[in-house]
Amino acid sequence: MAQFTTPGVYVEEVPSGVRVITGVATSITAFVGRALRGPTDTDAASPVRITNFAGYERIFGGLWAESPMSFAVQQFFANGGTEALIVRIHRHAKTARVRVPLSNGARVAFVAANPGAWGARVRIRIDHEVESVAAAAEPPDTLFNLHIRDLDTDVTEVHAAVSCVAGHPRFVSTVLAQTSGLLRGPATLASRPRASPPSTGPDVFAARGTRALTVAAEPDGTVVDAARLYAGRGLRTGKRGLYRLDHADRINLLVVPPYRFGSDLAKQDWDAVVAYASSRHAIALVDGPAAW
């Protein structure tokens, strides 16, 4: 105990079990709509939390003429927004894929991590130059290295010493699902993929033997509608569309831009959005009529 020997005012701090009450965010804004790329409402990563528009560009592809949501997010951060949750929904979008030959002559499909034309800009290469220490501990000819590049963003991933054996801790599809933002693998592989031809140039992804993902016509799908936003069978129970936000602990504002530029959400659409916002104790933000 402190000893005070002269008159005066003293402040003494003593240990206490009482914890200071910390504040909680009051400006978490959720956006639901169409985007060029990124996790969809069926992906475990959705909704995605971002804290700036650069994050939106990196994950969801930035501004897109077919996405009113992308412009709403840009304006949110340009006007002082600090935290957003993004739910990407799509309608009939295609996923890029590539068939890779295996050592036994069969082929398996690797697919882009999520739907959209962006996947057609993904390139992959495979080599068997696995470190001897890793290879010695595994059955012969089961390990390989997988190299992936997104030509649009120049993001490159290297997944070293992955296995073709399902159930292995380093099974290629398990590793991709856990760590890759670009690619997903098949459920099983009968043998390891064949190695790409050696590259002598400075850019291995420009070399012969690099495999490109391809995507069918209309890869970005069609305009989202009420059936994909809130009215479709199984959306509420499956936590998809608007109801993907059930996976978020808290939202304060809910933004659902029009499905396309120059149009408005119908009254029944807004009734559904407002009802959901009310159930989450949030405020729904409404776009003014396009005619304005």
Side-chain angles (χ1 to χ4, degrees), residues 244-267:
R244 191 69 194 177
L245 289 170
D246 286 355
H247 289 281
D249 291 336
R250 175 182 283 106
I251 61 172
N252 304 113
L253 304 173
L254 174 58
V255 180
V256 181
Y259 301 132
R260 67 172 74 198
F261 286 107
S263 66
D264 301 315
L265 290 182
K267 182 180 183 302

Side-chain angles (χ1 to χ4, degrees), residues 6 9-10 23 131 135 146-147 200 203 205 213 221 225:
T6 58
V9 177
Y10 300 90
E131 289 188 10
L146 176 61
H147 306 258
T200 56
D203 183 1
F205 288 95
L213 275 66
D225 58 10

Side-chain angles (χ1 to χ4, degrees), residues 202-251:
D203 183 1
V204 297
F205 288 95
R208 182 176 62 89
T210 296
R211 295 190 172 273
L213 275 66
T214 59
V215 64
E218 208 169 7
D220 290 317
T222 56
V223 176
V224 170
D225 58 10
R228 287 295 296 122
L229 178 64
Y230 67 89
R233 178 178 296 180
L235 289 187
R236 185 183 289 272
T237 56
K239 308 297 184 188
R240 294 182 288 120
L242 179 64
Y243 306 106
R244 191 69 194 177
L245 289 170
D246 286 355
H247 289 281
D249 291 336
R250 175 182 283 106
I251 61 172

Side-chain angles (χ1 to χ4, degrees), residues 19 33 42 64 73 90 105 120 161 175 185 205 216 267 269 280 292:
R19 296 186 178 276
T42 60
W64 180 30
V73 174
H90 66 88
V175 171
F205 288 95
K267 182 180 183 302
D269 297 342
R280 298 297 305 273
W292 290 0

Side-chain angles (χ1 to χ4, degrees), residues 7-290:
V9 177
Y10 300 90
V11 176
E12 181 182 4
E13 295 185 1
V14 297
S16 172
V18 178
R19 296 186 178 276
V20 177
I21 298 175
T22 57
V24 297
T26 58
S27 59
I28 302 173
T29 302
F31 294 84
V32 183
R34 214 174 163 202
L36 267 174
R37 61 189 297 167
T40 67
D41 59 345
T42 60
D43 194 306
S46 180
V48 178
R49 177 182 177 272
I50 58 173
T51 55
N52 52 53
F53 191 66
Y56 182 89
E57 290 178 308
R58 184 180 68 259
I59 299 171
F60 294 99
L63 296 177
W64 180 30
E66 300 297 324
S67 170
M69 179 180 73
S70 65
F71 290 84
V73 174
Q74 182 202 43
Q75 293 165 19
F76 169 74
F77 286 113
N79 286 278
T82 58
E83 183 175 353
L85 293 173
I86 309 297
V87 175
R88 179 196 176 197
I89 55 178
H90 66 88
R91 185 167 175 243
H92 311 311
K94 303 295 192 298
T95 304
R97 61 185 56 232
V98 60
R99 292 184 64 79
V100 175
L102 302 181
S103 299
N104 69 352
R107 288 177 176 266
V108 296
F110 284 78
V111 301
N114 46 72
W118 72 272
R121 298 282 289 163
V122 172
R123 303 290 185 268
I124 68 171
R125 287 186 63 84
I126 293 164
D127 70 67
H128 296 167
E129 299 174 8
V130 180
E131 289 188 10
S132 58
V133 174
E138 302 295 336
D141 302 329
T142 59
L143 298 185
F144 61 98
N145 301 319
L146 176 61
H147 306 258
I148 314 167
R149 179 178 292 175
D150 180 349
L151 300 184
D152 280 340
T153 63
D154 206 32
V155 169
T156 300
E157 298 177 354
V158 179
H159 303 279
V162 291
S163 173
C164 66
V165 180
H168 189 282
R170 293 284 298 167
F171 177 52
V172 60
S173 299
T174 302
V175 171
L176 291 175
Q178 294 174 346
T179 64
S180 176
L182 300 176
L183 199 67
R184 296 292 179 266
T188 60
L189 286 83
S191 62
R192 70 176 174 178
R194 292 179 183 172
S196 305
S199 171
T200 56
D203 183 1
V204 297
F205 288 95
R208 182 176 62 89
T210 296
R211 295 190 172 273
L213 275 66
T214 59
V215 64
E218 208 169 7
D220 290 317
T222 56
V223 176
V224 170
D225 58 10
R228 287 295 296 122
L229 178 64
Y230 67 89
R233 178 178 296 180
L235 289 187
R236 185 183 289 272
T237 56
K239 308 297 184 188
R240 294 182 288 120
L242 179 64
Y243 306 106
R244 191 69 194 177
L245 289 170
D246 286 355
H247 289 281
D249 291 336
R250 175 182 283 106
I251 61 172
N252 304 113
L253 304 173
L254 174 58
V255 180
V256 181
Y259 301 132
R260 67 172 74 198
F261 286 107
S263 66
D264 301 315
L265 290 182
K267 182 180 183 302
Q268 61 265 30
D269 297 342
W270 273 118
D271 287 345
V273 172
V274 170
Y276 183 78
S278 178
S279 73
R280 298 297 305 273
H281 306 290
I283 296 173
L285 300 185
V286 182
D287 276 47

